[in-house]
Amino acid sequence: MSDEPVAGADWTLLREWHAHSGLWPLLLDESAQPWSVGQIVPDDPRQIDHFTAEGFMAEVWQEWVAQMPPDALEELEPYGAICPAWRLRGC
C-alpha cells in the first residue's frame, strides 16, 4: 500500500507478478471508504488459500440479510435468507 502516487513501471511490475502472487494491483479512492478509515485491514498474504469467493459472499449475504426488515426477504426470492454462493462452485 502506498499513500503516494505510484509510477507506471510499478503498476507494470505488480501486474506481471500476478501469476506468482495471485494478487491484482488496485487503485482505491481515499474519500471516506472502508479502507481509508481502517475498516478493511490487509490480511497476511500467506493466508490467501484460506479465503474463497463462496465464503466471502456467504458472509456478506448473512450480514446484509440480518439488517433487512423481515418482510423484505421476498425480494431475495428464490434464495431468501440462504446465500446462493453454491452457484460459484459451478453446481
Side-chain angles (χ1 to χ4, degrees), residues 1-8 10-11 14 25-30:
M1 288 181 22
S2 171
D3 291 329
E4 301 300 321
V6 179
D10 294 327
W11 282 96
L14 290 169
L26 299 173
L27 178 62
L28 303 174
D29 178 5
E30 190 60 23

Side-chain angles (χ1 to χ4, degrees), residues 3 8-9 19 21 27 32 34 38 40 43 45 47 51 56 62-63 65 67 83-84 86-88 90-91:
D3 291 329
S21 69
L27 178 62
I40 297 176
D43 285 302
Q47 301 295 319
F51 298 101
F56 175 78
Q62 183 179 14
E63 290 174 7
V65 167
Q67 296 174 18
C83 176
W86 57 270
R87 289 180 176 261
L88 294 176
C91 298

